[in-house]
Amino acid sequence: MTRHALCAEPTHSVWDRSLAPRLRIESGDEVEIPCVDASGGQVWPGMSTEEYLRIDRSRIHALTGPIWIEGAEPGDVLQVDVMATRHSGWGWSSVVEGLGFLKDRFREPYLFHWHLEGEFSASLDPAIVPLRPFLGVMGVARAEDGAFRTRPPGPFGGNLDVRELCAGSRLYLPVYNPGALFSCGDGHAAQGDGEVCINGIECPLDVTLRFYLHKSQALSGPLIESSEESAPDLSSDAWVVVETGTDLAAAARAATGRMVDLLVSRWGFSEVHAYILCSVAMKLRLSQVVNEPVHTVSAAIAKQILPQRQLFPISPR
Amino acid sequence: MTRHALCAEPTHSVWDRSLAPRLRIESGDEVEIPCVDASGGQVWPGMSTEEYLRIDRSRIHALTGPIWIEGAEPGDVLQVDVMATRHSGWGWSSVVEGLGFLKDRFREPYLFHWHLEGEFSASLDPAIVPLRPFLGVMGVARAEDGAFRTRPPGPFGGNLDVRELCAGSRLYLPVYNPGALFSCGDGHAAQGDGEVCINGIECPLDVTLRFYLHKSQALSGPLIESSEESAPDLSSDAWVVVETGTDLAAAARAATGRMVDLLVSRWGFSEVHAYILCSVAMKLRLSQVVNEPVHTVSAAIAKQILPQRQLFPISPR
């Protein structure tokens, strides 16, 4: 096994199988990558919202790669083990007009800065947000010729934003091109299911990845072997908002909106802080998808994230 | 606090605010209810699929109630604490033509019987399914006049099928009628997110519920305070299938289908057993709902449910 180091830049912000590989490795090798944040270093601690609005959004997600895996061919499977992640003490989340799951409600641009301490952040007072750093984007070059924006994920991986991809987890991807051409970026110190406000805790993230090649294996899309071995201990005790409806997206949106309302009315968060907290810490589940025509979606926030509250105190009789 | 006992039958299978209360209680009281299974006792251990097809489906969900809570009025909130649940060692799951999340793939009727031992079932070999009993249906009478089938849930609760509602959890419901008129049933010894095959582990379930009334509280739909204190320990290590697409329901369906495929190809389950396992144990999450137009859905099965497998063994170089 060989250890490689790949500096983050120059980054790229499209999937394009004609990009020249920046590193060639063998199956079994490990690569250290100090990924820049999703803005490609355009956002800095203390930046104002006004300054943030002027960043070049075409540079998002600022991926590092491609990495060529020797011997990889279409029809193989690339295994990516996330060995370690290290944030650098700082991150950001934003609200951008026209983006986000509640974009009709949250139109005012906003940039929030996080101070990250070890496995938790106390920046969004009074919440204590557990950190589970992972890369929002890991993928291989797409099967098609051309340059594709990185926002849409696909069977090649890419902008999956699956919070289970923290250290200790493994990602399996189908290979579509010789060398596989792996790239990654979009570090998140934490992210809820849905990433509802459009961002997790966006941050520069040093990662150590190990790659294995599996020849001629059937795989039609990303598969993850998840682990929480490195995650801060999070109990399952939670506040859960339940919404029902005939349209899953509408029900999920309503549940998210009600969770924002709950955080505002009962814990005193500002609206936008509640929205951001949902984006970095809320779980969003399809509880029931078969009682047609009405389905159930649940939005949950772990109790340990919030100060203890008895929402409906029981008065002595 | 007064303890009451309410025998399960006669049951009812519609929401109708004109139904006469079977029990009147005060806020703070506890009620023991030995709920029948969702079929209303029509399914029994060892029943054949042919016999199952002849049950009267209009009797599903066979709810017990209504319970009148003294002093409850529209605009109040009813708190239901799930104090304890006790299965009776047996349950069933079925596939019914025309129902279920993968109904185009699974058309053949099938009835599966579970033997339940304490906190686990080993009936669906080689899976070990952890049991977390809860009631699929808990609700108050709807605001409208008339008799409504119980399949669709709503702001009044009802057929929510939220797996977090196990013992130790609390459900808060808006009150729409004098006395609230609470009913419950549809015991599940276990259920995955989505309840994809149409059933959890359907079973008779003895429950102990405690009720509290909160006067004049704003609540627009069900809210749960969840707890896993009584649940078998389930680690978060999991196999996670990731699907992306522009339609959340289609992506969730594709992820469920791929999980069925994985269980069949790698663990040797029959197709229908894999489907049932997903229905009673799979988690279904909206990982990302903001990278328009393509969203991400994850379907996960905890590793401890399955025999250990290295899906892609690493060969020495």
Side-chain angles (χ1 to χ4, degrees):
Chain A
M1 191 266 284
T2 307
R3 287 202 175 80
H4 307 264
L6 181 62
C7 62
E9 295 173 292
T11 60
H12 63 94
S13 296
V14 291
W15 291 108
D16 183 343
R17 63 184 191 170
S18 73
L19 289 173
R22 290 188 53 214
L23 177 69
R24 286 172 181 263
I25 67 169
E26 303 270 348
S27 177
D29 285 359
E30 209 168 271
V31 187
E32 300 256 356
I33 312 175
C35 293
V36 294
D37 77 296
S39 78
Q42 298 181 86
V43 178
W44 64 84
M47 184 188 217
S48 72
T49 300
E50 291 65 36
E51 290 168 317
Y52 173 69
L53 290 175
R54 292 194 293 269
I55 71 168
D56 176 2
R57 298 194 70 86
S58 75
R59 285 173 58 194
I60 290 171
H61 291 105
L63 304 182
T64 299
I67 297 171
W68 174 284
I69 293 88
E70 295 291 356
E73 290 170 297
D76 296 344
V77 165
L78 181 63
Q79 171 183 335
V80 186
D81 290 5
V82 183
M83 309 299 291
T85 62
R86 290 164 299 281
H87 64 70
S88 51
W90 165 79
W92 58 276
S93 303
S94 74
V95 175
V96 179
E97 191 177 4
L99 296 178
F101 202 42
L102 303 182
K103 57 171 166 273
D104 294 338
R105 176 167 171 182
F106 291 92
R107 297 159 178 277
E108 188 75 25
Y110 184 68
L111 179 64
F112 183 80
H113 296 280
W114 299 87
H115 178 61
L116 313 177
E117 297 170 272
E119 296 197 324
F120 291 90
S121 173
S123 295
L124 214 165
D125 187 58
I128 303 292
V129 176
L131 306 180
R132 305 176 71 238
F134 70 97
L135 293 170
V137 179
M138 290 194 274
V140 293
R142 296 172 61 146
E144 310 87 2
D145 272 328
F148 300 90
R149 291 304 311 274
T150 52
R151 184 177 288 171
F156 60 94
N159 190 23
L160 295 172
D161 289 325
V162 177
R163 63 201 297 275
E164 280 72 20
L165 281 168
C166 56
S169 293
R170 291 177 167 158
L171 173 64
Y172 301 93
L173 294 169
V175 173
Y176 296 102
N177 293 281
L181 300 168
F182 175 90
S183 295
C184 63
D186 192 25
H188 294 160
Q191 186 210 291
D193 290 334
E195 199 186 15
V196 293
C197 89
I198 196 68
N199 290 144
I201 298 181
E202 308 296 321
C203 66
L205 197 65
D206 297 354
V207 297
T208 306
L209 304 178
R210 190 180 287 172
F211 296 86
Y212 294 97
L213 186 64
H214 302 282
K215 297 296 294 176
S216 305
Q217 297 280 333
L219 186 70
S220 58
L223 175 69
I224 297 166
E225 201 175 342
S226 80
S227 156
E228 302 220 356
E229 64 192 38
S230 71
D233 186 41
L234 246 199
S235 87
S236 297
D237 292 8
W239 293 102
V240 188
V241 166
V242 181
E243 276 290 320
T244 56
T246 53
D247 178 273
L248 278 179
R253 191 170 284 113
T256 304
R258 272 184 61 208
M259 182 60 86
V260 169
D261 296 339
L262 188 72
L263 292 167
V264 168
S265 67
R266 300 293 186 148
W267 278 273
F269 290 96
S270 70
E271 294 239 331
V272 69
H273 282 185
Y275 189 32
I276 288 173
L277 182 59
C278 289
S279 197
V280 303
M282 187 178 73
K283 295 185 179 178
L284 199 52
R285 305 188 184 100
L286 300 176
S287 291
Q288 178 275 109
V289 292
V290 292
N291 295 319
E292 293 182 352
V294 182
H295 298 162
T296 313
V297 176
S298 303
I301 296 253
K303 281 190 176 181
Q304 73 184 69
I305 292 176
L306 298 166
Q308 203 181 327
R309 285 275 190 292
Q310 225 185 330
L311 295 202
F312 300 99
I314 293 163
S315 43
R317 290 161 70 181
Chain B
M1 192 265 284
T2 307
R3 286 203 174 79
H4 307 263
L6 180 62
C7 63
E9 295 172 292
T11 60
H12 62 95
S13 296
V14 290
W15 292 108
D16 183 343
R17 63 183 190 170
S18 73
L19 288 174
R22 288 188 54 216
L23 178 69
R24 287 172 180 262
I25 66 170
E26 303 271 348
S27 176
D29 285 359
E30 210 169 270
V31 186
E32 301 257 354
I33 312 175
C35 292
V36 294
D37 76 296
S39 78
Q42 298 181 86
V43 178
W44 64 83
M47 184 189 218
S48 72
T49 300
E50 292 65 37
E51 289 168 317
Y52 173 69
L53 291 175
R54 291 194 294 270
I55 70 167
D56 176 1
R57 298 194 70 83
S58 75
R59 284 174 57 194
I60 290 172
H61 292 104
L63 305 183
T64 298
I67 296 172
W68 174 284
I69 294 87
E70 295 292 354
E73 290 170 296
D76 296 344
V77 165
L78 182 64
Q79 171 184 333
V80 186
D81 290 7
V82 183
M83 308 300 291
T85 63
R86 292 164 298 279
H87 64 69
S88 52
W90 165 80
W92 58 275
S93 303
S94 73
V95 175
V96 178
E97 190 177 4
L99 297 178
F101 202 43
L102 303 181
K103 57 172 166 272
D104 293 339
R105 177 168 171 182
F106 291 92
R107 298 161 178 276
E108 188 75 28
Y110 184 68
L111 179 64
F112 183 79
H113 296 279
W114 299 87
H115 178 62
L116 313 178
E117 297 169 273
E119 296 198 323
F120 292 90
S121 173
S123 295
L124 214 163
D125 187 58
I128 303 291
V129 175
L131 306 181
R132 306 175 72 239
F134 70 97
L135 292 170
V137 179
M138 289 194 275
V140 292
R142 298 173 61 147
E144 310 87 3
D145 271 327
F148 300 89
R149 290 305 310 275
T150 53
R151 183 177 288 172
F156 59 94
N159 191 22
L160 295 171
D161 289 325
V162 176
R163 64 201 296 275
E164 280 72 19
L165 282 168
C166 56
S169 293
R170 289 178 170 159
L171 173 63
Y172 301 93
L173 294 170
V175 172
Y176 296 102
N177 293 282
L181 300 168
F182 175 90
S183 296
C184 64
D186 192 26
H188 294 161
Q191 186 210 290
D193 289 334
E195 198 185 19
V196 293
C197 90
I198 197 65
N199 290 144
I201 299 182
E202 308 295 321
C203 65
L205 197 64
D206 297 354
V207 297
T208 307
L209 304 178
R210 189 180 289 173
F211 297 85
Y212 293 96
L213 186 64
H214 302 281
K215 296 298 294 177
S216 305
Q217 297 280 333
L219 186 70
S220 60
L223 174 69
I224 298 166
E225 200 175 342
S226 80
S227 156
E228 302 220 355
E229 65 192 36
S230 71
D233 186 40
L234 247 199
S235 88
S236 296
D237 292 7
W239 292 101
V240 187
V241 167
V242 181
E243 276 290 319
T244 55
T246 53
D247 178 274
L248 279 179
R253 192 171 282 112
T256 304
R258 274 184 61 208
M259 181 60 87
V260 169
D261 295 339
L262 188 73
L263 292 167
V264 168
S265 67
R266 302 292 186 148
W267 277 274
F269 290 96
S270 71
E271 294 238 330
V272 69
H273 281 184
Y275 189 32
I276 289 172
L277 182 58
C278 289
S279 197
V280 304
M282 188 176 75
K283 294 183 180 180
L284 199 52
R285 304 187 185 102
L286 300 177
S287 291
Q288 177 275 109
V289 291
V290 291
N291 294 319
E292 295 183 351
V294 182
H295 298 164
T296 312
V297 176
S298 302
I301 296 253
K303 281 190 175 181
Q304 74 185 67
I305 292 176
L306 299 166
Q308 204 182 328
R309 286 274 189 291
Q310 227 186 329
L311 294 202
F312 300 99
I314 293 162
S315 45
R317 290 162 69 181

